[in-house]
Amino acid sequence: MLKIEGLSVKIGRKKIVDNVSFDLKEHDIFIVMGPNGAGKTTLFKAIMGTIPHSGKVFLDKTDIKTINKKELAKSIGVLTQKHQPRYAHTVYDVVSLGRYAYQNSIFSSLDKEDRTIIDEALKITGIYSIKNQSVLTLSGGELQRTFLAQLFAQNPRILILDEPANNLDLKYQIAIFDIIKEWVKGKNRAVLAAVHDLNTAYSYGNKALLLNEGKVYAKGSVDEVLARDNLRDVYKVDVVDWMQNLLKHWE
Amino acid sequence: MKNTTSGKTGKKTVAASIMGGFGVLLFIVVFFFSVSTGSVGFSFTDVVRVLAGYLLGLGDTGDIPESLVTIIINVRLPRVILSALAGAALSISGAAMQGLLKNPLADGSTLGITSGGALGAVISIAAGFNLPFFPNLGLVFMSILFSFLSLILILTLTYKIDYNLSNQTIILNGVIFSMLASSITSLIVSLSGNNLKQVVFWTMGSFSGRGWSYVVLMLPFFVAGAVPLLFLSRELDAFSLGEEQAEYIGVNTKKVKLLILILVSVLTGVSVAVSGTIGFVGLVIPHMTRFIAGPNHKKLLPVSALFGAGFLMATDLLSRTILSPAELPIGVVTSLIGAILFIYIFYSRTGVKG
């Protein structure tokens, strides 16, 4: 569905993303991993064209640059990592902006279908009860779920998630990934997600890409990519030892 | 603190309509008060009768001397309308900038756009640049053009230093640019041999002696700038969550941003051309309006316009009556009120956000 070809981003003389290529196919939960500063967030920005880059991105064989923004928003939705609201919008206001791409009239009022979809998104993410609260008063996790709800209201075919479980309680981490796992089974859907937590990557991902200093260190199935040697080389930690120690604690 | 229920929304809407009604009422009272008060005082009834008689052809105004009718119709009325238009224009453009840049401190005066516009206006006067048959139209064009160029220059510089357009950087750039533009303005005025009074006009603003020709000059630009902005309120809502986020939900950010910058320049530029630089209106009014109307631009823009119009009519009234018969430049009054509120906003924001 999404084909990335030779994507590079240069900031100053430094290459933040260096010649990254991969394919996102239907029903994929494609995990992007890598240490801090590996270029995950920058890679997503380059895919969406919000920063200067070289290389090409195709959505179903169409160059993404030629697609108008509203149409693109109906196909691909992005959950960013950081949200810093400045004004006292309500949760409902923010989520309802997810319907922007579907509103054609210049008076831009929400119709019945919009409202149903927004309510649904609020319920899935568990924030229906705080829908009239100002976003300035929310905790980090509530804010994250508000923007996730906006993404569901936007109803795209492809989700690009930058650390979606950030700030979330364990309960919601699991809930969100369960929702996404179900969601992606639908026709013509796929997920591209940057994930920090290895366990999440193993439990939910089917493909993965390991980034190191902007370059692709490994890509393929989750099991191949997140092999012990790869992780040791990239993260400079023997992850397996560490996990086994942790496990002892729980036993 | 999660006690918000759907019932509260209902109450909120009622409260908002009451506040809206109150705003309209306040506007009407200020309007009549401004028209009736001055070196020659009138009663409210006389003003209503003259307006009804002259504009609508109702009733008989035979008992009111012609000279007094002239004062109301040709002196007071255009001045009051012009101050209302400028107040509305500055407030709408301030609100739009604050949404676009996701920065509650953005405004024509803090970003230096008004000083840039004033420079353009002064250059056009000094160079005698004008269009045939339309007195002052060249002045308006130059003022709008310079407002736009200032805006682009300031934003480009700020993006270079700080991609997030944080409060401090953008305001610092605005202040530096504003000082530069003002000093060039003063230089041009002194070199061209005009008297000092004109410098005061451009740096402090005034509606003194403004007649109908200025209202006619401003009105089309006001409509051309304000109406499209009202239709962009959904986009402004998106921008006020951040430019990147706006792009992801489907806003063509580059195109819309340029359009909003042009509209803001038109509103700011035309205000500067007719009334000089009047500071802080566009900062303070939208900020206070947000408390009443909320941050959604569909309500924020029109309510800001209403309050801005009322505010500038009232300050103009104050500036021409407080030291009567002398007139205080209106910018002195707005800056005095505005600067204090600016400090309050700045410190309360930084206090909360750390």
Side-chain angles (χ1 to χ4, degrees):
Chain A
M1 293 172 71
L2 199 64
K3 194 177 177 66
I4 282 96
E5 279 184 10
L7 216 55
S8 296
V9 177
K10 244 181 170 176
I11 296 179
R13 248 176 258 155
K14 195 169 186 248
K15 277 200 166 176
I16 309 291
V17 173
D18 194 353
N19 199 21
V20 173
S21 304
F22 62 91
D23 280 344
L24 186 68
K25 298 222 163 69
E26 192 177 3
H27 308 311
D28 273 352
I29 295 185
F30 194 112
I31 306 285
V32 178
M33 291 202 73
N36 293 329
K40 291 165 289 183
T41 302
T42 312
L43 172 66
F44 291 168
K45 284 185 184 177
I47 291 173
M48 293 305 286
T50 52
I51 48 167
H53 60 275
S54 58
K56 294 222 151 158
V57 178
F58 296 95
L59 173 68
D60 298 329
K61 293 180 183 139
T62 315
D63 190 337
I64 214 167
K65 274 181 193 151
T66 64
I67 303 172
N68 86 49
K69 296 288 175 194
K70 274 194 176 183
E71 287 310 312
L72 187 61
K74 288 180 195 173
S75 299
I76 308 179
V78 181
L79 181 69
T80 55
Q81 205 180 126
K82 263 190 243 161
H83 302 286
Q84 290 167 313
R86 271 267 173 71
Y87 301 111
H89 293 282
T90 63
V91 169
Y92 195 91
D93 290 340
V94 172
V95 176
S96 71
L97 271 171
R99 299 304 295 164
Y100 174 81
Y102 300 89
Q103 294 172 305
N104 289 318
S105 85
I106 45 174
F107 296 104
S108 60
S109 50
L110 300 165
D111 62 22
K112 211 176 167 189
E113 192 197 343
D114 290 327
R115 290 186 184 282
T116 315
I117 293 170
I118 293 165
D119 283 350
E120 184 70 15
L122 287 164
K123 281 172 192 158
I124 291 176
T125 47
I127 51 171
Y128 190 80
S129 62
I130 55 166
K131 66 180 171 138
N132 294 320
Q133 207 170 312
S134 152
V135 288
L136 296 178
T137 65
L138 301 181
S139 70
E142 289 169 329
L143 198 60
Q144 181 78 349
R145 280 186 278 148
T146 301
F147 281 92
L148 190 69
Q150 187 190 63
L151 190 61
F152 282 128
Q154 190 177 327
N155 193 24
R157 299 185 286 126
I158 298 173
L159 300 181
I160 296 185
L161 311 170
D162 196 355
E163 314 246 352
N166 241 1
N167 292 322
L168 292 185
D169 293 339
L170 202 55
K171 175 188 159 195
Y172 283 107
Q173 278 190 35
I174 296 167
I176 292 299
F177 276 101
D178 284 346
I179 292 165
I180 289 168
K181 201 175 178 180
E182 269 311 297
W183 180 88
V184 84
K185 285 177 187 162
K187 198 176 177 313
N188 226 354
R189 286 175 172 172
V191 175
L192 177 64
V195 170
H196 243 346
D197 181 38
L198 280 167
N199 296 315
T200 313
Y202 277 124
S203 349
Y204 296 98
N206 66 324
K207 285 186 201 152
L209 181 144
L210 189 58
L211 269 184
N212 190 27
E213 292 173 357
K215 291 192 183 74
V216 177
Y217 191 87
K219 70 180 167 185
S221 76
V222 169
D223 291 334
E224 284 163 30
V225 172
L226 304 182
R228 187 175 193 166
D229 292 349
N230 285 346
L231 294 175
R232 191 170 45 214
D233 290 349
V234 170
Y235 285 91
K236 321 278 188 237
V237 175
D238 194 305
V239 182
V240 178
D241 272 357
W242 184 66
M243 289 282 183
Q244 278 166 349
N245 283 333
L246 268 182
L247 194 62
K248 271 180 209 151
H249 169 80
W250 290 110
E251 281 162 349
Chain B
M1 294 290 281
K2 292 172 194 175
N3 55 355
T4 29
T5 59
S6 55
K8 200 167 176 186
T9 339
K11 269 185 225 154
K12 246 187 184 167
T13 329
V14 174
S17 349
I18 292 172
M19 289 307 286
F22 180 71
V24 173
L25 197 69
L26 199 68
F27 175 87
I28 293 169
V29 170
V30 172
F31 174 81
F32 280 107
F33 205 67
S34 297
V35 176
S36 59
T37 315
S39 48
V40 184
F42 299 94
S43 69
F44 267 38
T45 16
D46 281 357
V47 171
V48 174
R49 282 175 61 209
V50 168
L51 291 184
Y54 202 87
L55 302 175
L56 305 169
L58 298 171
D60 180 30
T61 54
D63 59 315
I64 303 171
E66 192 62 30
S67 62
L68 295 184
V69 174
T70 309
I71 290 182
I72 292 181
I73 297 297
N74 288 335
V75 181
R76 293 276 169 77
L77 197 56
R79 178 173 180 157
V80 170
I81 291 176
L82 194 67
S83 61
L85 282 176
L90 291 170
S91 302
I92 291 187
S93 63
M97 299 273 286
Q98 288 156 25
L100 180 73
L101 301 175
K102 197 188 165 189
N103 188 331
L105 295 178
D107 161 49
S109 45
T110 51
L111 297 187
I113 314 164
T114 46
S115 308
L119 176 61
V122 168
I123 288 175
S124 92
I125 294 173
F129 169 71
N130 228 326
L131 302 170
F133 307 116
F134 295 102
N136 293 322
L137 195 59
L139 182 85
V140 174
F141 278 129
M142 281 291 275
S143 181
I144 289 174
L145 179 68
F146 270 68
S147 298
F148 182 67
L149 293 178
S150 317
L151 194 46
I152 296 293
L153 183 73
I154 294 157
L155 290 182
T156 315
L157 285 177
T158 310
Y159 271 121
K160 282 240 154 97
I161 303 170
D162 177 359
Y163 193 76
N164 294 319
L165 291 181
S166 78
N167 278 350
Q168 285 79 353
T169 324
I170 195 163
I171 302 298
L172 193 63
N173 273 333
V175 169
I176 294 168
F177 179 80
S178 180
M179 282 159 127
L180 181 71
S182 304
S183 57
I184 299 173
T185 304
S186 306
L187 187 70
I188 291 172
V189 173
S190 16
L191 288 180
S192 69
N194 279 327
N195 58 22
L196 261 170
K197 224 173 182 175
Q198 262 200 307
V199 189
V200 173
F201 173 80
W202 289 113
T203 51
M204 285 299 171
S206 171
F207 291 103
S208 182
R210 293 298 193 229
W212 282 111
S213 64
Y214 285 90
V215 175
V216 172
L217 186 68
M218 174 154 191
L219 197 59
F221 289 97
F222 175 75
V223 174
V227 174
L229 272 180
L230 294 179
F231 288 119
L232 289 170
S233 52
R234 198 79 178 146
E235 283 77 4
L236 280 168
D237 287 341
F239 268 106
S240 63
L241 294 177
E243 192 173 334
E244 197 188 347
Q245 191 69 26
E247 177 134 0
Y248 292 151
I249 62 170
V251 179
N252 189 335
T253 49
K254 279 197 185 112
K255 212 170 100 185
V256 173
K257 191 176 184 177
L258 182 67
L259 183 59
I260 293 173
L261 291 179
I262 291 171
L263 296 170
V264 162
S265 305
V266 168
L267 289 174
T268 311
V270 75
S271 305
V272 171
V274 299
S275 60
T277 53
I278 300 176
F280 293 103
V281 180
L283 176 75
V284 171
I285 296 296
H287 186 79
M288 307 225 295
T289 308
R290 244 177 240 116
F291 286 120
I292 296 159
N296 289 325
H297 291 80
K298 203 174 169 181
K299 277 189 201 154
L300 179 63
L301 295 180
V303 179
S304 290
L306 189 68
F307 285 164
F311 177 73
L312 218 53
M313 285 194 295
T315 36
D316 183 46
L317 177 66
L318 211 62
S319 75
R320 65 189 154 90
T321 51
I322 205 164
L323 292 179
S324 178
E327 273 199 28
L328 216 65
I330 187 169
V332 172
V333 183
T334 61
S335 297
L336 205 64
I337 301 169
I340 293 167
L341 276 159
F342 179 86
I343 293 167
Y344 169 74
I345 296 168
F346 193 76
Y347 279 92
S348 58
R349 288 265 161 194
T350 5
V352 172
K353 288 271 162 192

